[in-house]
Amino acid sequence: MRTISAGLGAAAVVLFFANVLLGSYLVSLPDFFRLLAGENIPGAGFIVLENRLPRAVAGTLVGVAFGLAGSIFQTMLRNPLASPDIIGISYGASASAVAAMVLFGAAGFAVSAAAMGGALAVALLIYLLSHRQAGPSNAASGRLVLVGIGFAAVLQALVHYLLTRADIQTAQAALVWLTGSLNSSNWDRAGALAGCLLVLLPAVAALSRSLRGLEMGDDAAAGLGVKVAPARLYLMAAAVLLAAAATAAAGPVAFISFLAAPIARRLLGGRGSLTVSALVGTVIVLAADFTAATLVPQFLPGATALPVGVVTGALGAPFLLWLLVSTNRVGRGG
């Protein structure tokens, strides 16, 4: 696992510097460190320090947060479909953010706050409904996934309705946000997300033992001394907060939570790892953003920079179809 982690870490570092240094305006690595040291380089200071660097930092943190959130949900519920962007949590954030934009003219921090509040509210409703229906020991089983998918369908319809009521400019801004984009990243957003992770990462580390127990089933977890219901509730709360914080910073970037944990498991030969999932999420976000913001405009004549969610959506949709087909083939699908 150390070799895999080191390789993914190296890939993340390379992609980070590629996002910062490459593009229509090239910056050398020595010039980058000169800028960090406070030296003024005409034309490069704003591009690197106020545009590319906060964008790369935000992309790194978003990848970590989404990767961890997806891994926690999928491991805890023992279901590869159980990720925030499949079971309705990201749709809760989307519906709340779009409602704030369309109905109240919100922008900036207010949209981010609305997104986080919506994600938390929908997650709580999903948990309460599945808990009430399935009983305490199975509150986060397949029924929770089904309840979440139902919420996702309703909330998606609500988003579409709100967009029909919006004026053209508001609808355009909402669509960009719904796609998931790092274009508006700044130090304030990156700093807010970093602050959330500083609180949540130690909590996730403390809960990781309970997560390993729940992966083996409720009975095995109880036999290992895990208090199943409280542990599941705390883990779900941590995962929801991770997804909500990342969504507030960059919008509901498609399929990062869904892709990170299965890819990590394949790299590790079937074993799960929160660390590797976080690194996979980071690599996916940075690679997708480099493709969307740098490669597409350079190699496709007339094309403009794309939101990162366009690339991740193009990657995730075929993977979702393949996963559904393969799990049903072996009798594990829904």
Side-chain angles (χ1 to χ4, degrees), residues 215 261-273:
E215 186 177 12
I263 292 175
R265 284 183 178 276
R266 288 187 173 274
L267 291 174
L268 295 173
R271 292 177 296 145
S273 169

Side-chain angles (χ1 to χ4, degrees), residues 155-271:
L155 292 168
Q156 187 175 23
L158 176 61
V159 168
H160 291 161
Y161 169 72
L162 289 170
L163 289 176
T164 63
R165 294 193 54 185
D167 58 73
I168 294 177
Q169 290 184 340
T170 303
Q172 184 179 16
L175 284 172
V176 171
W177 190 90
L178 286 170
T179 303
S181 175
L182 296 171
N183 294 345
S184 59
S185 297
N186 53 43
W187 285 117
D188 289 338
R189 292 191 179 187
L193 181 53
C196 292
L197 289 181
L198 284 176
V199 175
L200 292 172
L201 291 182
V204 170
L207 292 167
S208 60
R209 178 181 175 276
S210 298
L211 182 64
R212 289 193 294 269
L214 290 173
E215 186 177 12
M216 295 183 287
D218 290 357
D219 293 337
L224 293 172
V226 176
K227 296 180 180 179
V228 174
R232 182 175 285 125
L233 179 60
Y234 297 150
L235 283 164
M236 183 173 178
V240 169
L241 287 170
L242 284 166
T247 302
V253 183
F255 291 124
I256 301 300
S257 297
F258 175 67
L259 289 170
I263 292 175
R265 284 183 178 276
R266 288 187 173 274
L267 291 174
L268 295 173
R271 292 177 296 145

Side-chain angles (χ1 to χ4, degrees), residues 28-250:
S28 68
L29 192 59
D31 284 346
F32 172 71
F33 287 111
R34 286 164 57 196
L35 287 168
L36 290 182
E39 186 173 339
N40 181 31
I41 301 177
F46 177 80
I47 292 174
V48 173
L49 298 180
E50 300 300 326
N51 185 0
R52 293 182 184 174
L53 188 56
R55 180 179 183 137
V57 171
T60 300
L61 298 177
V62 165
V64 169
F66 276 133
L68 285 173
S71 182
I72 291 171
F73 268 108
Q74 291 169 347
T75 302
M76 178 178 64
L77 303 182
R78 299 192 295 168
N79 190 325
L81 294 177
S83 70
D85 42 5
I86 301 295
I87 64 173
I89 294 169
S90 293
Y91 282 108
S94 300
S96 182
V98 172
M101 291 181 189
V102 174
L103 301 179
F104 304 104
F109 176 77
V111 174
S112 298
M116 182 169 285
L120 294 172
V122 169
L124 179 61
L125 287 173
I126 292 172
Y127 179 83
L128 290 176
L129 286 176
S130 60
H131 182 93
R132 183 178 181 182
Q133 292 287 334
S137 63
N138 297 312
S141 64
R143 188 178 293 274
L144 187 146
V145 176
L146 294 176
V147 171
I149 291 174
F151 266 94
V154 173
L155 292 168
Q156 187 175 23
L158 176 61
V159 168
H160 291 161
Y161 169 72
L162 289 170
L163 289 176
T164 63
R165 294 193 54 185
D167 58 73
I168 294 177
Q169 290 184 340
T170 303
Q172 184 179 16
L175 284 172
V176 171
W177 190 90
L178 286 170
T179 303
S181 175
L182 296 171
N183 294 345
S184 59
S185 297
N186 53 43
W187 285 117
D188 289 338
R189 292 191 179 187
L193 181 53
C196 292
L197 289 181
L198 284 176
V199 175
L200 292 172
L201 291 182
V204 170
L207 292 167
S208 60
R209 178 181 175 276
S210 298
L211 182 64
R212 289 193 294 269
L214 290 173
E215 186 177 12
M216 295 183 287
D218 290 357
D219 293 337
L224 293 172
V226 176
K227 296 180 180 179
V228 174
R232 182 175 285 125
L233 179 60
Y234 297 150
L235 283 164
M236 183 173 178
V240 169
L241 287 170
L242 284 166
T247 302

